[in-house]
Amino acid sequence: MLTDDADIAAWSNQGLPSDRMSIENATILCNTERWPLIVDAQLQGIKWIKNKFGDNLKIIRLGQKGYLDVIELAVSNGDVLLIENIGESVEPVLDPLLGRNTIKKGKYIRIGDKEVEYHPNFRLILHTKYFNPHYKPEMQAQCTLINFLVTRDGLEDQLLAAVVAKERPDLEELKADLTKQQNNFKIVLKQLEDSLLARLSAASGNFLGDTALVENLEITKRTATEIEEKVREAKITEIKINEARENYRPASIRAALLYFILNDLNKINPIYQFSLKAFSVVFDVAIMRTEPADEVKQRVNNLIDEITYSVFMYTNRSLFEKDKLTFIAQVAFQILVMKKEINPVELDFLLRFPFKAGLGSPVDFLSNQAWGGIKALAEMDEFKNLDRDIEGSAKRWKKFVESEAPEKEKFPQEWKNKTGLQKLCMLRCLRADRMSYAVTSFVEEKMGTKYTEGRSVEFAVSYQESSSSTPVFFILSPGVDPLKDVEALGKKLGFTFDNGKFHNVSLGQGQEVVAEAALDKAAVEGHWVILQNIHLVAKWLSSLDKRVERYSIGSHEDYRVYMSAEPAPTPEGHIIPQGLLENAIKITNEPPTGMFANLHKALYLFNQDTLEMCSKESEFKVILFTLCYFHAVVAERRKFGAQGWNRSYPFNNGDLTISINVLYNYLEANNKVPWDDLRYLFGEIMYGGHITDDWDRKLCRTYLEEYVKAEMLEGEVYLAPGFPVPPNSDYKGYHLYIDEVLPAESPYLYGLHPNAEIGFLTITSEKLFRTILELQPKESSAAGAGGVSREEKVKAILDEILEKLPDSFNMVEIVAKAEEKTPFIIVVFQECERMNFLTQEISRSLKELNLGLKGELTITTDMEELGNALFLDTVPESWTKRAYPSLQGLGGWYADLLLRIKELETWTADFAMPPVVWLAGFFNPQSFLTAIMQTMARKNEWPLDKMCLAVEVTKKNREDMTTPPREGAYVHGLFMEGARWDTQSGVICDARLKELTPVMPVIFIKAIPVDRQDTKNVYECPVYKTRIRGPTYIWTFNLKTKEKPAKWVLAAVCLLLSI
């Protein structure tokens, strides 16, 4: 045995949590031969270590001033040394110490360039705050990794103690005294036993004659009996105390659940960090705030409500708008799972949506994918015959599915009596675009309206919660300045620039010294410090973290730190230290959404004086208003994702104000309005300066060509359907005009089709469920998948993929078989090679993971990520690197991969051109399109650089084609987004509502010399591989149109290879 009750009792008195995991960790730490490396983000283990070793413990952090000297002293004096907050790598100077590479017969060790005497009693303890650190193998060999992260049971017990200490201090005090007493008894008994055994082993001959020994035996016996009696009494008291304490357990269970949900939010965005310390403060305040009640049961219910709402408000203000629903939905689902009020299998269906691929929908109001979802759902007992009912009562279901807000309507037939979650599952199949609203209604129904109202917290309220040890951290968004609120409150409370109590440092090159001086002064004298844009000084952030932590203890009570930073665009780019984020009150400020708010906001940048400053007043006013509308459009169009802009751009207020200055200067300097110059300056320089994508530049240019033109002076220009350019007015009049005339928010205001909103809402709801699925606790996912453990599920998927994976293409055989190496055959070779590269990686990685799951190989990070991807139905990263862009889940992606392989197998069988080519089936579709040009250029002896592709959309489908064309190629499998192709009239026309990506008929592509190209009545339509657009661009197809091409540019019409 490595430990006994006496040791455990002593540790418990030193503040070690009493759960089994903590005791095991402490046992390992005290008995390990190697240096212990503690993974402890919540600092529970560290607190215990500091109490255990007391003043004998030397504590340092790597990189602090003179840390090597402290290490040398500790090594030579034989002290216990704790190195806090290490990263995933340690300075090489410590390598000899970690590996205990002693020299001179083990008496000395080299640290840096010095040889230090090595004391045999020296002990080293390392500590990291990372949740999931990855150390090099040699580091793992030199240290014993101990996971001190709090467990749910451990946290429940701690929080229970905190609740009872507040609610029934008498009970908790009694419990603490009892525990201490019991622990002391165990220690005394152990000491008595030890001394008795020592005496007995030392006694010689007739030990009955050894009076001292016999007396000692008597004393031991008497003490043991007394202690036993007291222990018996204490046990009875303890049972009574525990019964009374157990009444409060539901409150601690809820709080522990909430903490673990908060702890996982950093998976959404690494800037969402919350410490246990900060959580405990919120928890304590919530207990104080709870309404009193006579009944204990009622009081506990009040506690649960108040704790849940306080944690919700505390967290909600630090989340971006797009993540708020994810958080509260996760809270609602987890609470209901814990109360066993929902079926985990149904929740799993809602989050994963495992639809049956390859089915055709028998009803016109549901897509194939939606019908696949209904079929999968109908296999569950609760949803038996759902598919039959929909087919049988198609009319009633059609009315329900096509209603404006189906989540508010009653389901047809007896389906209206289903539970809230079951209705969500059905709606997920029928109307994916309404799921965000449906989940909001579900949360409202289960938890109350206060969780979905979207109240914002006044800054003054957040200030009340801050203190000298709790900084405030503003998470910035473009176009918002939260620091005005800080200045306003500072003025009110007497902290201003003028009286020197307010320091505002905008960080950048060389400002670190200024910031450090401000912090040093403020901590002593009780000032406020604002540190703006700390993300710009990456190298200084660790020093800032240490300084803020140092001053969080023992500083002036009026001292406050306010920091602001932009979140990193990707998780990999996140640089802000955990320490700065987790204890701070985080606040997000986002710009208003919607055209109405944005147009008012743009106009607020100016005033009546601005409108009157130009000599050409009427022209200036009308162009100014139009530019405000243009500014609102380009900023708000971002919400439509890739259909809005191919890439996201940081348009800001400065672009608009500088454009107005340019407008004023140009109008003053010219007799006539220089329309072309103005459009060029606004579209290519002021706003165009941000734009990096050619199609986005074209979009920006088209907006200005449509809005800013001479006709606007006659009032003949409509900025949106039903919204003409306003007549000449004053500043107030323009605001009034917006209030009265601007149509309701819709994609029409941006020149887009209403389908754009459906598409954007569908993607949003898919993201919502995908994120919640990733946040599910790992231990509960076992039950979620119908009683199958995570490993078993991964193994089943792995076996299925390997079983269906065809052999690689035999390249030697294929190359030998091809007689003539035409451009098309070269394309096929390249495709087969790339396919081999991908299938070999799939096979290798899965076989490796299989060995890992069997325990024959150590699980590496790559294997862990592959297993997670298989479990979450996403395509593993090592595969996507070698594959083609795709937005499908793993199931759909793999089915698609097998089809691509089949297509290549058909082509390589005899190398005859297929009658219709599946353009999306290529890794590199450009190479096939180029091959068409090369073949025709050789045949007709045309120069390749003076050629282009001519595209003709036929009236036929894939099945109608039996032979390939004499020249060029027929291609199929393209989809149009933003509009549809009218086969009868052979032109682009408006899309039908809810038909987001209609299929194109077969397209005939051939090459022609550039000078024969038809440019009249055509829309230059970009072709992309996926809905992400931007980087997946392939080619431009000229498609016939009767309407102005500008309409299709604004509607973001394009062709997609896969959806």
Side-chain angles (χ1 to χ4, degrees), residues 593-617:
T593 55
M595 179 56 80
F596 182 80
N598 270 291
L599 187 48
H600 274 304
K601 188 176 152 224
L603 206 48
Y604 281 134
L605 296 172
F606 310 105
N607 51 34
Q608 186 60 36
D609 297 346
T610 321
L611 296 183
E612 292 168 357
M613 70 185 190
C614 183
S615 55
K616 294 190 181 64
E617 195 176 307

PDB file of all heavy atoms in Angstrom, residues 593-617:
ATOM      1  N   THR A 593     -27.473  44.993 -35.953  1.00  0.00           N
ATOM      2  CA  THR A 593     -27.675  44.209 -37.172  1.00  0.00           C
ATOM      3  C   THR A 593     -28.936  44.704 -37.880  1.00  0.00           C
ATOM      4  O   THR A 593     -29.799  45.320 -37.266  1.00  0.00           O
ATOM      5  CB  THR A 593     -27.845  42.721 -36.842  1.00  0.00           C
ATOM      6  OG1 THR A 593     -28.909  42.604 -35.897  1.00  0.00           O
ATOM      7  CG2 THR A 593     -26.594  42.137 -36.242  1.00  0.00           C
ATOM      8  N   GLY A 594     -29.010  44.405 -39.167  1.00  0.00           N
ATOM      9  CA  GLY A 594     -30.183  44.804 -39.945  1.00  0.00           C
ATOM     10  C   GLY A 594     -29.941  46.117 -40.661  1.00  0.00           C
ATOM     11  O   GLY A 594     -29.182  46.976 -40.199  1.00  0.00           O
ATOM     12  N   MET A 595     -30.599  46.267 -41.797  1.00  0.00           N
ATOM     13  CA  MET A 595     -30.408  47.464 -42.629  1.00  0.00           C
ATOM     14  C   MET A 595     -30.867  48.725 -41.905  1.00  0.00           C
ATOM     15  O   MET A 595     -30.218  49.765 -41.957  1.00  0.00           O
ATOM     16  CB  MET A 595     -31.191  47.271 -43.934  1.00  0.00           C
ATOM     17  CG  MET A 595     -31.094  48.434 -44.871  1.00  0.00           C
ATOM     18  SD  MET A 595     -29.411  48.847 -45.258  1.00  0.00           S
ATOM     19  CE  MET A 595     -29.081  47.644 -46.470  1.00  0.00           C
ATOM     20  N   PHE A 596     -32.003  48.636 -41.207  1.00  0.00           N
ATOM     21  CA  PHE A 596     -32.582  49.802 -40.544  1.00  0.00           C
ATOM     22  C   PHE A 596     -31.560  50.418 -39.575  1.00  0.00           C
ATOM     23  O   PHE A 596     -31.233  51.604 -39.638  1.00  0.00           O
ATOM     24  CB  PHE A 596     -33.847  49.361 -39.799  1.00  0.00           C
ATOM     25  CG  PHE A 596     -34.581  50.468 -39.102  1.00  0.00           C
ATOM     26  CD1 PHE A 596     -35.425  51.306 -39.809  1.00  0.00           C
ATOM     27  CD2 PHE A 596     -34.427  50.672 -37.743  1.00  0.00           C
ATOM     28  CE1 PHE A 596     -36.106  52.329 -39.166  1.00  0.00           C
ATOM     29  CE2 PHE A 596     -35.089  51.690 -37.087  1.00  0.00           C
ATOM     30  CZ  PHE A 596     -35.936  52.527 -37.801  1.00  0.00           C
ATOM     31  N   ALA A 597     -31.020  49.579 -38.677  1.00  0.00           N
ATOM     32  CA  ALA A 597     -30.064  50.069 -37.658  1.00  0.00           C
ATOM     33  C   ALA A 597     -28.781  50.562 -38.317  1.00  0.00           C
ATOM     34  O   ALA A 597     -28.215  51.590 -37.934  1.00  0.00           O
ATOM     35  CB  ALA A 597     -29.756  48.950 -36.678  1.00  0.00           C
ATOM     36  N   ASN A 598     -28.316  49.840 -39.340  1.00  0.00           N
ATOM     37  CA  ASN A 598     -27.047  50.213 -39.973  1.00  0.00           C
ATOM     38  C   ASN A 598     -27.138  51.502 -40.773  1.00  0.00           C
ATOM     39  O   ASN A 598     -26.190  52.282 -40.827  1.00  0.00           O
ATOM     40  CB  ASN A 598     -26.562  49.076 -40.876  1.00  0.00           C
ATOM     41  CG  ASN A 598     -25.682  48.104 -40.112  1.00  0.00           C
ATOM     42  OD1 ASN A 598     -24.572  48.430 -39.730  1.00  0.00           O
ATOM     43  ND2 ASN A 598     -26.208  46.921 -39.851  1.00  0.00           N
ATOM     44  N   LEU A 599     -28.298  51.725 -41.400  1.00  0.00           N
ATOM     45  CA  LEU A 599     -28.463  52.951 -42.200  1.00  0.00           C
ATOM     46  C   LEU A 599     -28.531  54.161 -41.270  1.00  0.00           C
ATOM     47  O   LEU A 599     -27.892  55.187 -41.513  1.00  0.00           O
ATOM     48  CB  LEU A 599     -29.737  52.831 -43.055  1.00  0.00           C
ATOM     49  CG  LEU A 599     -29.991  53.923 -44.076  1.00  0.00           C
ATOM     50  CD1 LEU A 599     -28.751  54.219 -44.909  1.00  0.00           C
ATOM     51  CD2 LEU A 599     -31.143  53.548 -45.013  1.00  0.00           C
ATOM     52  N   HIS A 600     -29.293  54.038 -40.184  1.00  0.00           N
ATOM     53  CA  HIS A 600     -29.321  55.120 -39.189  1.00  0.00           C
ATOM     54  C   HIS A 600     -27.922  55.380 -38.642  1.00  0.00           C
ATOM     55  O   HIS A 600     -27.483  56.514 -38.506  1.00  0.00           O
ATOM     56  CB  HIS A 600     -30.255  54.750 -38.026  1.00  0.00           C
ATOM     57  CG  HIS A 600     -31.696  55.095 -38.274  1.00  0.00           C
ATOM     58  ND1 HIS A 600     -32.116  56.363 -38.579  1.00  0.00           N
ATOM     59  CD2 HIS A 600     -32.821  54.329 -38.274  1.00  0.00           C
ATOM     60  CE1 HIS A 600     -33.438  56.369 -38.747  1.00  0.00           C
ATOM     61  NE2 HIS A 600     -33.885  55.150 -38.581  1.00  0.00           N
ATOM     62  N   LYS A 601     -27.206  54.283 -38.333  1.00  0.00           N
ATOM     63  CA  LYS A 601     -25.876  54.409 -37.732  1.00  0.00           C
ATOM     64  C   LYS A 601     -24.920  55.128 -38.690  1.00  0.00           C
ATOM     65  O   LYS A 601     -24.101  55.957 -38.273  1.00  0.00           O
ATOM     66  CB  LYS A 601     -25.356  53.006 -37.405  1.00  0.00           C
ATOM     67  CG  LYS A 601     -24.085  53.005 -36.608  1.00  0.00           C
ATOM     68  CD  LYS A 601     -23.705  51.584 -36.251  1.00  0.00           C
ATOM     69  CE  LYS A 601     -22.208  51.524 -36.092  1.00  0.00           C
ATOM     70  NZ  LYS A 601     -21.567  50.413 -36.682  1.00  0.00           N
ATOM     71  N   ALA A 602     -25.022  54.800 -39.993  1.00  0.00           N
ATOM     72  CA  ALA A 602     -24.151  55.454 -40.979  1.00  0.00           C
ATOM     73  C   ALA A 602     -24.459  56.948 -41.036  1.00  0.00           C
ATOM     74  O   ALA A 602     -23.555  57.800 -41.096  1.00  0.00           O
ATOM     75  CB  ALA A 602     -24.353  54.810 -42.345  1.00  0.00           C
ATOM     76  N   LEU A 603     -25.744  57.273 -40.978  1.00  0.00           N
ATOM     77  CA  LEU A 603     -26.149  58.691 -41.074  1.00  0.00           C
ATOM     78  C   LEU A 603     -25.741  59.459 -39.816  1.00  0.00           C
ATOM     79  O   LEU A 603     -25.452  60.655 -39.875  1.00  0.00           O
ATOM     80  CB  LEU A 603     -27.674  58.746 -41.279  1.00  0.00           C
ATOM     81  CG  LEU A 603     -28.259  59.965 -41.982  1.00  0.00           C
ATOM     82  CD1 LEU A 603     -27.510  60.310 -43.260  1.00  0.00           C
ATOM     83  CD2 LEU A 603     -29.738  59.762 -42.303  1.00  0.00           C
ATOM     84  N   TYR A 604     -25.702  58.755 -38.671  1.00  0.00           N
ATOM     85  CA  TYR A 604     -25.312  59.416 -37.407  1.00  0.00           C
ATOM     86  C   TYR A 604     -23.862  59.900 -37.419  1.00  0.00           C
ATOM     87  O   TYR A 604     -23.451  60.660 -36.555  1.00  0.00           O
ATOM     88  CB  TYR A 604     -25.508  58.466 -36.212  1.00  0.00           C
ATOM     89  CG  TYR A 604     -26.940  58.356 -35.752  1.00  0.00           C
ATOM     90  CD1 TYR A 604     -27.525  57.117 -35.486  1.00  0.00           C
ATOM     91  CD2 TYR A 604     -27.737  59.491 -35.566  1.00  0.00           C
ATOM     92  CE1 TYR A 604     -28.850  56.995 -35.073  1.00  0.00           C
ATOM     93  CE2 TYR A 604     -29.054  59.381 -35.154  1.00  0.00           C
ATOM     94  CZ  TYR A 604     -29.604  58.141 -34.915  1.00  0.00           C
ATOM     95  OH  TYR A 604     -30.908  58.052 -34.513  1.00  0.00           O
ATOM     96  N   LEU A 605     -23.071  59.426 -38.389  1.00  0.00           N
ATOM     97  CA  LEU A 605     -21.669  59.882 -38.459  1.00  0.00           C
ATOM     98  C   LEU A 605     -21.596  61.341 -38.909  1.00  0.00           C
ATOM     99  O   LEU A 605     -20.550  61.966 -38.861  1.00  0.00           O
ATOM    100  CB  LEU A 605     -20.883  59.005 -39.446  1.00  0.00           C
ATOM    101  CG  LEU A 605     -20.728  57.527 -39.065  1.00  0.00           C
ATOM    102  CD1 LEU A 605     -20.114  56.750 -40.208  1.00  0.00           C
ATOM    103  CD2 LEU A 605     -19.859  57.395 -37.814  1.00  0.00           C
ATOM    104  N   PHE A 606     -22.729  61.862 -39.412  1.00  0.00           N
ATOM    105  CA  PHE A 606     -22.751  63.243 -39.937  1.00  0.00           C
ATOM    106  C   PHE A 606     -23.816  64.036 -39.191  1.00  0.00           C
ATOM    107  O   PHE A 606     -24.515  63.513 -38.337  1.00  0.00           O
ATOM    108  CB  PHE A 606     -23.042  63.202 -41.445  1.00  0.00           C
ATOM    109  CG  PHE A 606     -22.154  62.226 -42.171  1.00  0.00           C
ATOM    110  CD1 PHE A 606     -22.643  60.990 -42.616  1.00  0.00           C
ATOM    111  CD2 PHE A 606     -20.799  62.488 -42.355  1.00  0.00           C
ATOM    112  CE1 PHE A 606     -21.816  60.068 -43.219  1.00  0.00           C
ATOM    113  CE2 PHE A 606     -19.970  61.567 -42.965  1.00  0.00           C
ATOM    114  CZ  PHE A 606     -20.475  60.360 -43.403  1.00  0.00           C
ATOM    115  N   ASN A 607     -23.919  65.327 -39.536  1.00  0.00           N
ATOM    116  CA  ASN A 607     -24.963  66.143 -38.911  1.00  0.00           C
ATOM    117  C   ASN A 607     -25.454  67.198 -39.910  1.00  0.00           C
ATOM    118  O   ASN A 607     -25.020  67.213 -41.070  1.00  0.00           O
ATOM    119  CB  ASN A 607     -24.423  66.813 -37.632  1.00  0.00           C
ATOM    120  CG  ASN A 607     -23.120  67.542 -37.904  1.00  0.00           C
ATOM    121  OD1 ASN A 607     -22.910  68.091 -39.003  1.00  0.00           O
ATOM    122  ND2 ASN A 607     -22.227  67.543 -36.932  1.00  0.00           N
ATOM    123  N   GLN A 608     -26.299  68.094 -39.450  1.00  0.00           N
ATOM    124  CA  GLN A 608     -26.884  69.116 -40.343  1.00  0.00           C
ATOM    125  C   GLN A 608     -25.780  69.966 -40.986  1.00  0.00           C
ATOM    126  O   GLN A 608     -25.849  70.310 -42.162  1.00  0.00           O
ATOM    127  CB  GLN A 608     -27.855  69.994 -39.535  1.00  0.00           C
ATOM    128  CG  GLN A 608     -28.637  71.010 -40.367  1.00  0.00           C
ATOM    129  CD  GLN A 608     -29.509  70.371 -41.460  1.00  0.00           C
ATOM    130  OE1 GLN A 608     -30.075  69.307 -41.270  1.00  0.00           O
ATOM    131  NE2 GLN A 608     -29.576  71.006 -42.614  1.00  0.00           N
ATOM    132  N   ASP A 609     -24.733  70.256 -40.214  1.00  0.00           N
ATOM    133  CA  ASP A 609     -23.634  71.098 -40.743  1.00  0.00           C
ATOM    134  C   ASP A 609     -22.953  70.401 -41.915  1.00  0.00           C
ATOM    135  O   ASP A 609     -22.578  71.036 -42.904  1.00  0.00           O
ATOM    136  CB  ASP A 609     -22.578  71.367 -39.642  1.00  0.00           C
ATOM    137  CG  ASP A 609     -23.194  72.156 -38.496  1.00  0.00           C
ATOM    138  OD1 ASP A 609     -24.305  72.691 -38.693  1.00  0.00           O
ATOM    139  OD2 ASP A 609     -22.574  72.230 -37.420  1.00  0.00           O
ATOM    140  N   THR A 610     -22.777  69.067 -41.812  1.00  0.00           N
ATOM    141  CA  THR A 610     -22.145  68.321 -42.914  1.00  0.00           C
ATOM    142  C   THR A 610     -22.970  68.507 -44.179  1.00  0.00           C
ATOM    143  O   THR A 610     -22.430  68.732 -45.268  1.00  0.00           O
ATOM    144  CB  THR A 610     -22.090  66.795 -42.594  1.00  0.00           C
ATOM    145  OG1 THR A 610     -21.790  66.627 -41.228  1.00  0.00           O
ATOM    146  CG2 THR A 610     -21.066  66.090 -43.446  1.00  0.00           C
ATOM    147  N   LEU A 611     -24.297  68.395 -44.030  1.00  0.00           N
ATOM    148  CA  LEU A 611     -25.176  68.470 -45.208  1.00  0.00           C
ATOM    149  C   LEU A 611     -25.092  69.831 -45.887  1.00  0.00           C
ATOM    150  O   LEU A 611     -25.293  69.952 -47.098  1.00  0.00           O
ATOM    151  CB  LEU A 611     -26.635  68.197 -44.810  1.00  0.00           C
ATOM    152  CG  LEU A 611     -26.960  66.800 -44.269  1.00  0.00           C
ATOM    153  CD1 LEU A 611     -28.445  66.672 -43.991  1.00  0.00           C
ATOM    154  CD2 LEU A 611     -26.553  65.714 -45.251  1.00  0.00           C
ATOM    155  N   GLU A 612     -24.799  70.870 -45.099  1.00  0.00           N
ATOM    156  CA  GLU A 612     -24.820  72.232 -45.667  1.00  0.00           C
ATOM    157  C   GLU A 612     -23.454  72.714 -46.126  1.00  0.00           C
ATOM    158  O   GLU A 612     -23.322  73.822 -46.634  1.00  0.00           O
ATOM    159  CB  GLU A 612     -25.371  73.206 -44.610  1.00  0.00           C
ATOM    160  CG  GLU A 612     -26.856  72.966 -44.323  1.00  0.00           C
ATOM    161  CD  GLU A 612     -27.316  73.718 -43.078  1.00  0.00           C
ATOM    162  OE1 GLU A 612     -26.461  74.372 -42.434  1.00  0.00           O
ATOM    163  OE2 GLU A 612     -28.513  73.642 -42.741  1.00  0.00           O
ATOM    164  N   MET A 613     -22.404  71.898 -45.966  1.00  0.00           N
ATOM    165  CA  MET A 613     -21.054  72.467 -46.183  1.00  0.00           C
ATOM    166  C   MET A 613     -20.670  72.585 -47.658  1.00  0.00           C
ATOM    167  O   MET A 613     -19.705  73.258 -47.990  1.00  0.00           O
ATOM    168  CB  MET A 613     -20.008  71.633 -45.426  1.00  0.00           C
ATOM    169  CG  MET A 613     -19.754  70.257 -45.987  1.00  0.00           C
ATOM    170  SD  MET A 613     -18.615  69.380 -44.908  1.00  0.00           S
ATOM    171  CE  MET A 613     -18.228  67.965 -45.881  1.00  0.00           C
ATOM    172  N   CYS A 614     -21.406  71.936 -48.560  1.00  0.00           N
ATOM    173  CA  CYS A 614     -20.979  71.921 -49.964  1.00  0.00           C
ATOM    174  C   CYS A 614     -21.788  72.921 -50.780  1.00  0.00           C
ATOM    175  O   CYS A 614     -22.992  73.112 -50.556  1.00  0.00           O
ATOM    176  CB  CYS A 614     -21.151  70.506 -50.521  1.00  0.00           C
ATOM    177  SG  CYS A 614     -20.586  70.362 -52.212  1.00  0.00           S
ATOM    178  N   SER A 615     -21.125  73.564 -51.763  1.00  0.00           N
ATOM    179  CA  SER A 615     -21.830  74.561 -52.601  1.00  0.00           C
ATOM    180  C   SER A 615     -22.855  73.876 -53.509  1.00  0.00           C
ATOM    181  O   SER A 615     -23.901  74.432 -53.808  1.00  0.00           O
ATOM    182  CB  SER A 615     -20.822  75.360 -53.435  1.00  0.00           C
ATOM    183  OG  SER A 615     -20.023  74.455 -54.178  1.00  0.00           O
ATOM    184  N   LYS A 616     -22.553  72.626 -53.954  1.00  0.00           N
ATOM    185  CA  LYS A 616     -23.550  71.888 -54.761  1.00  0.00           C
ATOM    186  C   LYS A 616     -24.392  71.059 -53.776  1.00  0.00           C
ATOM    187  O   LYS A 616     -24.306  69.833 -53.724  1.00  0.00           O
ATOM    188  CB  LYS A 616     -22.846  70.950 -55.748  1.00  0.00           C
ATOM    189  CG  LYS A 616     -22.039  71.660 -56.830  1.00  0.00           C
ATOM    190  CD  LYS A 616     -21.602  70.653 -57.882  1.00  0.00           C
ATOM    191  CE  LYS A 616     -20.781  71.297 -58.974  1.00  0.00           C
ATOM    192  NZ  LYS A 616     -19.494  71.849 -58.503  1.00  0.00           N
ATOM    193  N   GLU A 617     -25.241  71.757 -53.015  1.00  0.00           N
ATOM    194  CA  GLU A 617     -25.891  71.109 -51.870  1.00  0.00           C
ATOM    195  C   GLU A 617     -26.776  69.925 -52.257  1.00  0.00           C
ATOM    196  O   GLU A 617     -26.681  68.854 -51.677  1.00  0.00           O
ATOM    197  CB  GLU A 617     -26.719  72.131 -51.082  1.00  0.00           C
ATOM    198  CG  GLU A 617     -27.095  71.608 -49.701  1.00  0.00           C
ATOM    199  CD  GLU A 617     -27.842  72.650 -48.873  1.00  0.00           C
ATOM    200  OE1 GLU A 617     -27.330  73.776 -48.723  1.00  0.00           O
ATOM    201  OE2 GLU A 617     -28.936  72.326 -48.417  1.00  0.00           O
TER     202      GLU A 617
END
